[in-house]
Amino acid sequence: MATREQTSEDAGHARYTYRLRVSSTARAALEAEWARCRWLWNECVARSKKAHAEGEKCGPARLDKILTQARASTGWLCKGSSVPQQQLIRDFGKSRAKALMDIKAGLPMRQRAGMPKYKRKHQAGPTLNYTRRGFRLKEGRLYLAGSIVLSVVWSRGLPKLPSSVRVYRDSLGHWYASFVVATTTEALPATGRDIGIDWGVKETATTTSDDHDLPHAQHGKNAAQRLARYQRMMARRRPKRGQAGSKGYREAKRQTAKLHKKIARLRQDSGRKWAKKVVRDHDRLAVEDFRPKFLAKSAMARKASDAAIGATKRALVEMARKHGRELHLVHPAHTTMDCAQCGARTKHALPLSERTYACTACGAVSPRDKNSARVMLVRAGLNPAGADRVRAVRPPARSRREPGISCL
């Protein structure tokens, strides 16, 4: 299985993930390598806390010196490759710098990135990062520094030579290799069509085109009974504190993780297929820049989580970048209150139970989500006539505090 994911560090790179066939020898070598990296991470956390208490700096340069001294004095640490250890220090430095930046900016506690914490042996999953000098591909196999050879399940080929690779193990015990590859634009034929997209809970995505609406698939709801059954099995067989779990407990835990993984893959597959269809049929996209995080504390938390709005939105942005489509992210403020025909704004916010939008200024009546999708087109400066044969009379009124449009 191979998946393609846009990296957040650089819009010009993407990750291609493949399943690995790991022998017992390679598994032991990977786990030993991870044991060294985990010890190094915990040592960085301890040095960071000590430096903070003493008012000293603890950046990646100082930690690199500590790594050099530790490898010279510790034979066990020197047996492993220096590449994943150096990359781990880079990751630790980025994590610590982000936490200090949030503290300096005075962000609320709920919005801050926490300081790096210790990685426990039985809780942290193995993750090893290798740069180009730490791995190579030969005859379909992945050779890692330290004489580790892995067989890759090549479900499809890589478009270019990768610049780095991340080898990790998931909750089911399966190993994967995630390659970072420079992206290339795969242009699609022009269609001359525009589309506005509004996110919701009743339907995951409502668009100005009825053929491209994305209904709520309810993957989590369909698997709720099986998931509850496995969770009850875990609860009955949960070991006491300090005792090892029984074989039945481990099996119930594995089945729960397997079902969670299946639900996540179904949501990901549905979102990518829909995004591919939308991008293939339209040249310009006006997408609501909706952040569903606040729904986690509302009464719609379960349904919003099952809709996977965030994952679907990321898939759409990634697909638009891949094929060179013009995409506009529209701020969601007042999109349910504005009229897409005349631009008038209602005096009060509409309750969620009211699903029909009726404009008091021009008398236009339309489904609430369809009206919001047309507002996306108007705010993005696109022509709504391409979707509903109606051109807006004037742009919608916007308050001074309302942010504008961010384009990709």
Side-chain angles (χ1 to χ4, degrees):
M1 180 192 69
T3 60
R4 183 183 185 274
E5 177 186 356
Q6 196 82 21
T7 60
S8 58
E9 297 86 355
D10 187 1
H13 292 78
R15 287 189 177 273
Y16 286 78
T17 305
Y18 300 84
R19 179 79 177 272
L20 295 176
R21 302 298 183 191
V22 183
S23 63
S24 58
T25 304
R27 184 183 298 108
L30 290 173
E31 291 176 350
E33 195 71 64
W34 168 242
R36 300 183 186 94
C37 291
R38 189 181 63 85
W39 177 89
L40 181 61
W41 177 278
N42 293 340
E43 187 69 16
C44 291
V45 173
R47 295 298 180 95
S48 175
K49 291 184 176 181
K50 182 179 178 181
H52 178 72
E54 298 176 356
E56 299 179 355
K57 294 184 179 180
C58 186
R62 183 176 180 182
L63 294 176
D64 276 336
K65 294 181 180 179
I66 295 175
L67 174 61
T68 303
Q69 297 172 0
R71 287 180 60 87
S73 60
T74 308
W76 170 75
L77 188 64
C78 188
K79 288 182 180 179
S81 172
S82 63
V83 176
Q85 297 173 9
Q86 291 173 347
Q87 290 302 114
L88 182 134
I89 288 180
R90 299 294 182 275
D91 295 340
F92 178 86
K94 290 180 181 179
S95 179
R96 186 174 183 272
K98 180 62 169 63
L100 294 176
M101 188 183 302
D102 292 348
I103 295 174
K104 186 176 181 181
L107 294 178
M109 290 296 297
R110 64 180 182 276
Q111 298 180 5
R112 293 181 186 178
M115 293 291 289
K117 299 181 180 180
Y118 292 105
K119 293 184 181 293
R120 299 183 181 273
K121 181 178 180 180
H122 298 290
Q123 294 180 0
T127 301
L128 303 171
N129 294 318
Y130 293 85
T131 55
R132 185 171 295 174
R133 67 187 182 91
F135 77 97
R136 64 189 177 97
L137 295 172
K138 183 179 179 182
E139 298 179 355
R141 291 189 174 186
L142 174 62
Y143 292 80
L144 301 178
S147 302
I148 302 176
V149 183
L150 304 173
S151 298
V152 184
V153 181
W154 296 107
S155 52
R156 60 172 173 170
L158 288 171
K160 291 184 178 180
L161 290 176
S163 59
S164 63
V165 64
R166 178 166 63 95
V167 178
Y168 66 94
R169 189 181 65 192
D170 66 355
S171 58
L172 297 178
H174 300 160
W175 289 88
Y176 293 89
S178 182
F179 298 94
V180 176
V181 181
T183 57
T184 55
T185 302
E186 301 176 10
L188 293 174
T191 62
R193 300 176 61 186
D194 305 334
I195 189 172
I197 301 173
D198 175 75
W199 306 108
V201 177
K202 186 177 180 181
E203 288 187 346
T204 303
T206 304
T207 68
T208 52
S209 172
D210 294 337
D211 296 335
H212 295 82
D213 290 345
L214 179 62
H216 197 308
Q218 299 182 348
H219 295 301
K221 184 178 180 180
N222 296 335
Q225 291 185 354
R226 283 187 296 161
L227 184 61
R229 174 170 170 262
Y230 295 138
Q231 289 174 341
R232 286 195 299 267
M233 292 171 59
M234 288 180 58
R236 289 195 302 266
R237 302 168 182 178
R238 188 179 303 278
K240 294 182 179 180
R241 189 178 184 87
Q243 295 183 357
S246 63
K247 181 178 179 181
Y249 175 78
R250 293 195 301 269
E251 178 62 21
K253 186 176 181 180
R254 190 187 71 85
Q255 291 293 342
T256 303
K258 184 177 180 180
L259 187 55
H260 276 298
K261 178 72 73 173
K262 180 178 180 180
I263 295 172
R265 286 172 174 170
L266 287 173
R267 291 169 178 165
Q268 188 181 57
D269 183 68
S270 300
R272 284 178 174 168
K273 288 180 178 177
W274 173 80
K276 179 69 174 182
K277 179 181 178 182
V278 170
V279 170
R280 184 183 63 243
D281 297 342
H282 300 87
D283 291 342
R284 299 184 295 179
L285 294 78
V287 184
E288 179 186 10
D289 192 12
F290 181 68
R291 303 180 186 275
K293 188 176 181 179
F294 76 95
L295 292 175
K297 296 183 179 180
S298 66
M300 299 179 295
R302 185 186 296 271
K303 191 171 184 179
S305 177
D306 195 10
I309 299 175
T312 307
K313 176 185 169 185
R314 287 193 298 271
L316 183 63
V317 173
E318 173 195 340
M319 200 66 65
R321 286 174 175 169
K322 176 183 178 182
H323 296 291
R325 297 303 198 190
E326 182 180 345
L327 185 139
H328 300 261
L329 291 179
V330 182
H331 195 276
H334 309 294
T335 53
T336 59
M337 300 171 61
D338 291 351
C339 177
Q341 305 296 330
C342 65
R345 178 173 297 171
T346 58
K347 295 182 180 180
H348 305 286
L350 301 179
L352 288 175
S353 58
E354 189 172 342
R355 307 309 303 172
T356 302
Y357 182 89
C359 180
T360 58
C362 65
V365 179
S366 63
R368 171 177 174 156
D369 295 337
K370 288 291 183 181
N371 177 76
S372 298
R374 295 188 183 97
V375 170
M376 303 300 164
L377 285 174
V378 177
R379 288 195 181 183
L382 306 180
N383 182 15
D388 52 18
R389 303 299 179 187
V390 177
R391 184 185 297 272
V393 179
R394 60 183 176 86
R398 293 195 332 194
S399 62
R400 294 181 179 179
R401 294 183 179 180
E402 182 178 336
I405 302 170
S406 60
C407 303
L408 294 178

Short mmCIF file of all heavy atoms in Angstrom, two decimals, residues 21 73 83 102 114 132 143 156 204 248 292 309 364 369 405:
data_model
loop_
_atom_site.label_atom_id
_atom_site.label_comp_id
_atom_site.label_asym_id
_atom_site.label_seq_id
_atom_site.Cartn_x
_atom_site.Cartn_y
_atom_site.Cartn_z
N ARG A 21 8.36 -5.35 4.52
CA ARG A 21 8.46 -6.74 4.96
C ARG A 21 9.75 -6.85 5.76
O ARG A 21 10.85 -6.75 5.20
CB ARG A 21 8.47 -7.70 3.78
CG ARG A 21 7.26 -7.59 2.87
CD ARG A 21 5.96 -7.92 3.60
NE ARG A 21 4.81 -7.89 2.70
CZ ARG A 21 3.56 -7.93 3.10
NH1 ARG A 21 3.29 -8.00 4.40
NH2 ARG A 21 2.57 -7.89 2.22
N SER A 73 32.42 7.92 24.34
CA SER A 73 32.60 7.27 25.64
C SER A 73 31.70 6.06 25.85
O SER A 73 31.94 5.27 26.75
CB SER A 73 32.35 8.28 26.77
OG SER A 73 31.03 8.80 26.69
N VAL A 83 23.29 8.87 11.88
CA VAL A 83 22.32 9.64 11.09
C VAL A 83 20.99 9.78 11.82
O VAL A 83 20.50 10.90 12.01
CB VAL A 83 22.13 8.99 9.70
CG1 VAL A 83 21.06 9.74 8.91
CG2 VAL A 83 23.44 9.00 8.94
N ASP A 102 5.97 29.75 21.70
CA ASP A 102 4.60 29.93 22.17
C ASP A 102 4.55 30.57 23.55
O ASP A 102 3.67 31.39 23.84
CB ASP A 102 3.88 28.59 22.19
CG ASP A 102 3.64 28.03 20.80
OD1 ASP A 102 3.83 28.79 19.83
OD2 ASP A 102 3.30 26.84 20.67
N GLY A 114 3.49 21.85 23.88
CA GLY A 114 4.16 21.49 25.11
C GLY A 114 5.64 21.22 24.92
O GLY A 114 6.11 20.90 23.82
N ARG A 132 19.68 11.50 3.10
CA ARG A 132 20.14 10.79 1.90
C ARG A 132 21.43 10.02 2.13
O ARG A 132 21.66 8.97 1.51
CB ARG A 132 20.33 11.80 0.76
CG ARG A 132 20.70 11.18 -0.57
CD ARG A 132 20.66 12.21 -1.67
NE ARG A 132 19.30 12.71 -1.88
CZ ARG A 132 19.01 13.70 -2.71
NH1 ARG A 132 19.96 14.31 -3.39
NH2 ARG A 132 17.76 14.10 -2.86
N TYR A 143 18.18 -0.09 1.95
CA TYR A 143 19.37 -0.33 2.76
C TYR A 143 19.58 0.88 3.68
O TYR A 143 19.78 2.00 3.21
CB TYR A 143 20.60 -0.52 1.88
CG TYR A 143 20.59 -1.80 1.07
CD1 TYR A 143 19.85 -1.89 -0.11
CD2 TYR A 143 21.30 -2.91 1.49
CE1 TYR A 143 19.83 -3.07 -0.85
CE2 TYR A 143 21.29 -4.09 0.74
CZ TYR A 143 20.56 -4.16 -0.42
OH TYR A 143 20.53 -5.33 -1.15
N ARG A 156 3.48 1.09 -6.09
CA ARG A 156 3.70 1.97 -7.25
C ARG A 156 5.09 2.57 -7.11
O ARG A 156 5.67 2.59 -6.02
CB ARG A 156 2.65 3.07 -7.32
CG ARG A 156 2.60 3.99 -6.11
CD ARG A 156 1.67 5.15 -6.36
NE ARG A 156 1.50 5.96 -5.17
CZ ARG A 156 0.89 7.14 -5.16
NH1 ARG A 156 0.42 7.62 -6.30
NH2 ARG A 156 0.74 7.82 -4.05
N THR A 204 -20.74 16.23 4.63
CA THR A 204 -19.35 16.61 4.84
C THR A 204 -18.96 17.82 4.01
O THR A 204 -18.28 18.73 4.50
CB THR A 204 -18.43 15.43 4.51
OG1 THR A 204 -18.81 14.30 5.30
CG2 THR A 204 -16.98 15.76 4.80
N GLY A 248 -5.71 -12.82 25.97
CA GLY A 248 -7.00 -12.31 25.52
C GLY A 248 -7.05 -10.79 25.51
O GLY A 248 -7.65 -10.19 24.61
N PRO A 292 -12.27 22.57 12.19
CA PRO A 292 -13.28 21.85 12.97
C PRO A 292 -12.86 21.55 14.40
O PRO A 292 -13.56 20.81 15.09
CB PRO A 292 -13.45 20.56 12.18
CG PRO A 292 -12.13 20.35 11.52
CD PRO A 292 -11.57 21.71 11.22
N ILE A 309 -13.66 16.16 8.50
CA ILE A 309 -13.59 17.36 7.66
C ILE A 309 -12.14 17.78 7.46
O ILE A 309 -11.73 18.15 6.35
CB ILE A 309 -14.41 18.50 8.30
CG1 ILE A 309 -15.88 18.09 8.41
CG2 ILE A 309 -14.27 19.78 7.50
CD1 ILE A 309 -16.74 19.10 9.13
N ALA A 364 -34.42 36.16 -2.06
CA ALA A 364 -33.87 34.89 -2.56
C ALA A 364 -34.02 33.82 -1.48
O ALA A 364 -33.76 34.06 -0.31
CB ALA A 364 -32.41 35.06 -2.95
N ASP A 369 -26.81 25.57 3.16
CA ASP A 369 -25.44 25.20 2.78
C ASP A 369 -25.14 25.56 1.33
O ASP A 369 -23.99 25.92 1.01
CB ASP A 369 -25.24 23.71 3.00
CG ASP A 369 -25.32 23.33 4.48
OD1 ASP A 369 -25.11 24.22 5.33
OD2 ASP A 369 -25.61 22.15 4.79
N ILE A 405 -9.17 36.98 2.08
CA ILE A 405 -9.05 35.67 1.43
C ILE A 405 -7.57 35.32 1.32
O ILE A 405 -6.76 36.14 0.93
CB ILE A 405 -9.68 35.72 0.03
CG1 ILE A 405 -11.16 36.16 0.13
CG2 ILE A 405 -9.58 34.39 -0.66
CD1 ILE A 405 -11.77 36.46 -1.19
#
